[in-house]
Amino acid sequence: MDRVLLLRFGELYLKGKNRNIFEGKLISNIKQSLAGEEFSFHSTFGRYIISGYNQEREGEIIRKLKCVFGLYSLSPAVEVDATKEEIENEVRKIRIEPKSFKVNVKRADKNFPIPSMEFAAYLGGVILENNKCEVDLYNPQVEVNVDIRMNGRAYIYFEKIACQGGLPLGTAGKGLLLLSGGIDSPVAGYLVAKRGLEIEALHFHSYPYTSERAKEKVISLAEKLTAYCGKIRLHTISFTKVQEEIHKHCAPEYMITIMRRIMMRIAERICKANNLGAIITGESLGQVASQTMQSMTVTGGVIESLPVFRPCIAMDKEEIMAVARNIDTYETSILPYEDCCTVFLPKFPVIKPTIEKAEKEERRLDLEKLIEEAMATEEILMI
Ligand code: ATP
Ligand code: MG
């Protein structure tokens, strides 16, 4: 008898020729997430088994595995030989009184001689012999699961702990997350990472208008994201000069539009320089003036050759906040700070900007010089 963790992964993407790539990546991500722990890993016909770990570390190991994209659920289980006697012996040890229960038997290995229903009823009898409890097939307080696998082993477990789902990190390439200090952009990063996209992050600060603390906040948000996204290269760029120039020369209602267009242009250059294939933002339709359909047309319009992913686009703020709480970025995001976008904020930003008007306003700036100067302030932190 061994105490193990039984891991389940999605079946969907494990079809066709991508299967090996996905599975290889998932396995290496699992192993990497447990770096520093003692454990053995086995892959067996549709399940992964983690064994040989320190029982006292089980809670911590589960916590880490729950952050690995591509895993759907896991169960702490007892592993025995898949024979009637061994399974029965183990089931005999179960103490669940005074609760109601149900036994589920699943035979991936149809060579196991007893049909599932029959064996479940038999094991139910064994439990009844040893406990003051009752069978409830419809609403049991405890479920005893017996999973008979193709590897000649059976797994007995009570609970199924939900994991993240999604696709293994790194199977969708790499993108650049525009990371502010707000609630939405960390959620956006998490959501694309969940679809397999690795991320680097880009933050624009307006030091000295924004404080050192605002930057620290972005760093701690990136740190929180690493639980899911692995190591993150954080690029920071000073946006101060750009904002001052726009403030000086452009129509106030177009200030945010022009700022966003310049952020996008810089983001695209950073993508090109670092071989990143997409830009990710935390925009949500209609949330503020700069996130209307027309605004996104005008700001996204400067991007020449990359997709812009906006995974929060159709989410309500409440829904975004719920994800933020789940991934533990919320409390950091709501700390008071100054965003570069709130410096020089116009009273009435345009809600339906046009590309023509934005271009006209931009002609008042030496765009190329501004962008180059901003690019020269780039700093890179490994988080
Ligand atoms: P967030 O909560 O992510 O800050 P928000 O609702 O405050 O979003 P905006 O401030 O309009 O929205 O920003 C929209 C998106 O633009 C952000 O989600 C983020 O991706 C990007 N962004 C905004 N400010 C910055 C910044 N200072 N540095 C990098 N990206 C930014
Ligand atoms: Mg913001």
Side-chain angles (χ1 to χ4, degrees), residues 159-230:
E159 49 172 349
K160 214 179 214 184
I161 299 169
C163 299
Q164 299 294 323
L167 302 177
L169 189 69
T171 53
K174 212 164 188 184
L176 183 65
L177 170 67
L178 296 195
L179 183 62
S180 69
I183 296 169
D184 307 333
S185 44
V187 169
Y190 161 81
L191 288 172
V192 290
K194 184 173 172 183
R195 296 303 299 166
L197 196 69
E198 273 184 278
I199 55 172
E200 296 195 9
L202 168 60
H203 176 69
F204 295 96
H205 63 84
S206 308
Y207 191 77
Y209 297 105
T210 58
S211 63
E212 197 54 35
R213 220 187 36 195
K215 193 167 150 193
E216 290 302 319
K217 181 180 175 185
V218 170
I219 291 173
S220 39
L221 284 172
E223 274 166 2
K224 297 267 182 190
L225 281 178
T226 60
Y228 301 93
C229 306

Side-chain angles (χ1 to χ4, degrees), residues 32-315:
Q32 207 171 330
S33 82
L34 298 184
E37 305 282 352
E38 197 184 321
F39 68 97
S40 308
F41 175 93
H42 300 283
S43 170
T44 164
F45 304 100
R47 296 280 185 277
Y48 300 140
I49 315 290
I50 305 280
S51 60
Y53 56 87
N54 178 350
Q55 294 298 309
E56 282 169 23
R57 301 279 307 157
E58 188 176 271
E60 183 61 16
I61 290 175
I62 290 176
R63 197 187 62 72
K64 288 178 183 168
L65 290 171
K66 278 174 76 177
C67 295
V68 176
F69 296 122
L71 287 180
Y72 277 67
S73 67
L74 63 84
S75 298
V78 167
E79 184 188 57
V80 295
D81 281 336
T83 63
K84 175 170 176 274
E85 295 68 32
E86 288 270 333
I87 295 170
E88 183 178 334
N89 267 346
E90 208 46 53
V91 168
R92 203 170 281 287
K93 295 180 196 159
I94 292 175
R95 292 293 168 268
I96 52 178
E97 55 198 22
K99 295 182 172 151
S100 62
F101 78 100
K102 169 189 183 186
V103 179
N104 305 307
V105 171
K106 195 154 112 196
R107 285 182 311 158
D109 182 2
K110 299 292 180 207
N111 290 322
F112 187 82
I114 313 169
S116 303
M117 296 282 273
E118 189 180 313
F119 196 38
Y122 177 78
L123 293 173
V126 171
I127 292 174
L128 284 173
E129 272 172 36
N130 296 290
N131 293 273
K132 288 193 191 64
C133 57
E134 60 186 36
V135 175
D136 182 344
L137 296 181
Y138 302 103
N139 197 16
Q141 286 170 294
V142 176
E143 293 196 45
V144 178
N145 302 287
V146 179
D147 194 356
I148 300 167
R149 305 301 306 173
M150 302 286 283
N151 58 348
R153 309 286 274 165
Y155 299 87
I156 301 162
Y157 63 90
F158 296 106
E159 49 172 349
K160 214 179 214 184
I161 299 169
C163 299
Q164 299 294 323
L167 302 177
L169 189 69
T171 53
K174 212 164 188 184
L176 183 65
L177 170 67
L178 296 195
L179 183 62
S180 69
I183 296 169
D184 307 333
S185 44
V187 169
Y190 161 81
L191 288 172
V192 290
K194 184 173 172 183
R195 296 303 299 166
L197 196 69
E198 273 184 278
I199 55 172
E200 296 195 9
L202 168 60
H203 176 69
F204 295 96
H205 63 84
S206 308
Y207 191 77
Y209 297 105
T210 58
S211 63
E212 197 54 35
R213 220 187 36 195
K215 193 167 150 193
E216 290 302 319
K217 181 180 175 185
V218 170
I219 291 173
S220 39
L221 284 172
E223 274 166 2
K224 297 267 182 190
L225 281 178
T226 60
Y228 301 93
C229 306
K231 285 196 186 326
I232 296 177
R233 280 178 89 212
L234 173 64
H235 306 251
T236 62
I237 291 228
S238 168
F239 213 52
T240 315
K241 180 79 186 295
V242 173
Q243 282 179 295
E244 285 171 345
E245 288 297 302
I246 300 174
H247 187 61
K248 225 184 281 171
H249 300 291
C250 302
E253 72 273 19
Y254 264 74
M255 168 133 204
I256 293 186
T257 312
I258 309 290
M259 270 171 59
R260 289 269 185 268
R261 281 165 65 87
I262 296 179
M263 280 186 181
M264 286 295 199
R265 289 181 176 105
I266 292 175
E268 187 169 30
R269 291 191 192 193
I270 291 183
C271 283
K272 294 286 172 220
N274 294 278
N275 211 5
L276 307 172
I279 295 172
I280 302 109
T281 78
E283 289 160 307
S284 164
L285 189 61
Q287 199 186 79
V288 287
S290 59
Q291 298 178 25
T292 61
M293 187 167 65
Q294 293 83 356
S295 285
M296 283 183 266
T297 304
V298 176
T299 55
V302 297
I303 301 293
E304 283 168 4
S305 59
L306 295 173
V308 179
F309 294 156
R310 300 177 172 93
C312 301
I313 195 75
M315 293 169 79

